[in-house]
Amino acid sequence: MDFTFTEEQQLFRNSTRRFLEEQYAFEKRAGVLEQAHGFLESHWQNFAELGWLAMPFAEEYDGLGGSPVETMILMEEMGRNLLTSPYLATVVLGGGIVAEAGSEQQKSALLPQVGSGELKLALAFAEQGGGYDLTQIRLRAIKNDSGYLLDGTKTTVFYSVVADKIIVAARTAGQAGEREGVSLFLIDRDAAGLQSRDYRTQDGGSASDLDFKAVQVPEEALLGREGQGFLPLQRVIAKAAVALCAEAVGVMWAISEQSGDFLRTREQFGQKLGSFQALQHRLVDVYMKCQLGQSLVYDVVCALGQQAGEPFGPELLRKVCAAKYQVGLDARSVGQEGIQFHGAMGMMTELPIGHYYKRITAINSTFGDPRFHLRRYRELMIQDQETVA
């Protein structure tokens, strides 16, 4: 595989890093997080003008036709600068589901609005007690003369509070634990009977728990075909997990670079901390973990690009699990080392290191923690062996 960026991709990376460093410097971050939902609407409109929101969508939907590589570049730079925004919720999750499952009419109506910044989306799929298993969907959608009646709860819906519409994974048939019978519905954020408990997450973002109390939606609210929502949901969550791995790699690189700068300037016993060999070795270990994490992300991103539009096979899903597992472990280790390099100062809110570690913790608990993905990797290996046999 060739991991070398094209000239256009390198220019995109440089311009993205320059923009975020100028507009989202750490010194400005505290002011941004003081906003009601942890981000500035002016930043969102800037993202639209830069083409970030339209980047992954096909040109026939006013998108830029970007590949998973561009999404990886953008997410890594967001990680470097600790950006908080509804980008993952709206573009990767919400827009991704519409692109995967929606009809041509739905895609033509919704995706251009997402790309222009006019429409924010949220994806409600997780439920209490379901863990990271996507089949554990209990929220019911009962068909009636007026469309569908939704009843149940969803948890940890990212940036639901600012979404114009919410995509809900509901069960129109079958029982929890089954892949068949999962359907997707697009509903208004202010739909009658929908109750929301909004809260801020530890990393500065926003999420909500949603209660659906006999929420009536019309038949046209169904996204795609009834009972065929699981595979699109699985694909989009896998892509979002890879996007978070790329963000985690950006966080790791930022910690590595800032720790190196700190050790080269901070003095103890009349010497620079960076002159102590033990610390040099630990800093090299951090650098190697950053390189390993980036290599794993490059590998799975290339695989995503090669299988665009095709069903996800066990090999690709294993690559996703491997990346989420290893990057999760190494990101946590790098974050802990960064705090130790800075000593007691590493825990101060005035320094970014502690904030980076909070983001790592949040990433590790989203779309599956390392332990879940290790177990899932083993299950996929067994399934693959049984298929061959």
Side-chain angles (χ1 to χ4, degrees):
M1 289 185 180
D2 184 6
F3 292 159
T4 305
F5 291 151
T6 65
E7 183 178 354
E8 291 79 8
Q9 289 168 343
Q10 188 62 52
L11 288 171
F12 175 62
R13 183 179 191 174
N14 293 342
S15 62
T16 300
R17 182 174 301 183
R18 186 164 55 249
F19 174 83
L20 290 175
E21 287 176 349
E22 292 174 356
Q23 300 296 322
Y24 208 80
F26 180 75
E27 294 75 19
K28 302 177 182 179
R29 187 172 187 267
V32 174
L33 294 185
E34 289 175 358
Q35 306 301 310
H37 310 303
F39 79 103
L40 292 175
E41 185 62 32
S42 59
H43 283 167
W44 190 251
Q45 296 308 313
N46 287 336
F47 299 167
E49 293 169 4
L50 290 166
W52 294 359
L53 306 184
M55 182 182 60
F57 307 129
E59 294 179 3
E60 56 261 40
Y61 309 119
D62 296 343
L64 300 181
S67 71
V69 175
E70 283 74 31
T71 300
M72 176 195 70
I73 291 171
L74 184 55
M75 291 298 295
E76 183 178 330
E77 296 308 319
M78 287 181 175
R80 280 179 175 269
N81 291 273
L82 278 177
L83 181 70
T84 57
S85 81
Y87 183 84
L88 183 78
T90 291
V91 179
V92 180
L93 291 174
I97 281 287
V98 173
E100 289 280 351
S103 64
E104 282 301 315
Q105 182 179 1
Q106 289 168 330
K107 288 188 279 191
S108 298
L110 298 170
L111 294 181
Q113 294 184 62
V114 173
S116 65
E118 301 172 55
L119 178 67
K120 295 187 186 72
L121 300 173
L123 176 61
F125 67 95
E127 299 185 18
Q128 288 188 352
Y132 300 117
D133 186 351
L134 295 179
T135 65
Q136 295 297 319
I137 294 174
R138 297 176 176 83
L139 187 148
R140 284 284 174 182
I142 303 172
K143 195 166 187 177
N144 56 26
D145 294 338
S146 302
Y148 295 86
L149 198 65
L150 274 61
D151 193 76
T153 61
K154 292 292 181 182
T155 187
T156 322
V157 184
F158 297 117
Y159 286 96
S160 161
V161 67
V162 299
D164 301 295
K165 293 183 180 294
I166 301 173
I167 299 171
V168 183
R171 190 165 287 284
T172 48
Q175 302 296 323
E178 298 177 0
R179 293 188 171 202
E180 299 299 323
V182 175
S183 301
L184 303 167
F185 295 89
L186 184 70
I187 71 172
D188 293 332
R189 180 64 171 78
D190 56 357
L194 176 58
Q195 299 178 2
S196 174
R197 183 175 70 85
D198 309 320
Y199 49 89
R200 298 293 294 275
T201 54
Q202 68 164 0
D203 57 339
S206 172
S208 305
D209 294 339
L210 304 179
D211 288 329
F212 296 81
K213 298 183 180 296
V215 177
Q216 181 67 54
V217 298
E219 191 167 349
E220 53 267 25
L222 180 66
L223 197 64
R225 293 186 296 171
E226 181 179 313
Q228 302 299 310
F230 179 80
L231 288 181
L233 180 64
Q234 183 187 52
R235 286 173 62 93
V236 168
I237 295 300
K239 290 179 181 179
V242 174
L244 281 186
C245 287
E247 183 183 355
V249 168
V251 170
M252 292 164 68
W253 279 120
I255 293 174
S256 173
E257 292 163 4
Q258 292 178 23
S259 296
D261 291 341
F262 181 81
L263 295 179
R264 282 188 289 271
T265 57
R266 188 76 172 177
E267 290 190 3
Q268 193 171 32
F269 307 117
Q271 299 183 59
K272 304 290 186 184
L273 286 177
S275 66
F276 294 104
Q277 194 173 55
L279 293 179
Q280 292 175 6
H281 289 170
R282 289 171 62 182
L283 194 59
V284 170
D285 288 341
V286 165
Y287 177 83
M288 292 174 64
K289 288 176 180 177
C290 293
Q291 288 284 13
L292 174 60
Q294 191 155 52
S295 297
L296 286 167
V297 172
Y298 281 2
D299 182 42
V300 69
V301 164
C302 287
L304 283 173
Q306 291 170 355
Q307 296 195 17
E310 299 178 10
F312 281 13
E315 184 178 357
L316 178 54
L317 291 175
R318 286 202 305 270
K319 286 179 180 289
V320 174
C321 290
K324 194 69 166 63
Y325 167 75
Q326 193 64 52
V327 170
L329 290 184
D330 287 344
R332 182 171 59 193
S333 174
V334 167
Q336 291 169 345
E337 286 283 41
I339 290 174
Q340 291 186 24
F341 285 143
H342 286 75
M345 296 173 62
M347 299 301 295
M348 296 173 61
T349 58
E350 290 81 4
L351 288 183
I353 295 298
H355 298 274
Y356 280 118
Y357 191 71
K358 287 182 179 180
R359 182 56 188 151
I360 287 170
T361 303
I363 289 174
N364 271 356
S365 62
T366 305
F367 310 137
D369 59 17
R371 181 178 297 179
F372 169 83
H373 281 284
L374 178 61
R375 183 172 67 251
R376 182 63 178 142
Y377 187 94
R378 290 170 178 162
E379 292 171 353
L380 289 167
M381 284 289 293
I382 293 172
Q383 291 175 15
D384 202 22
Q385 291 169 359
E386 291 176 347
T387 301
V388 172

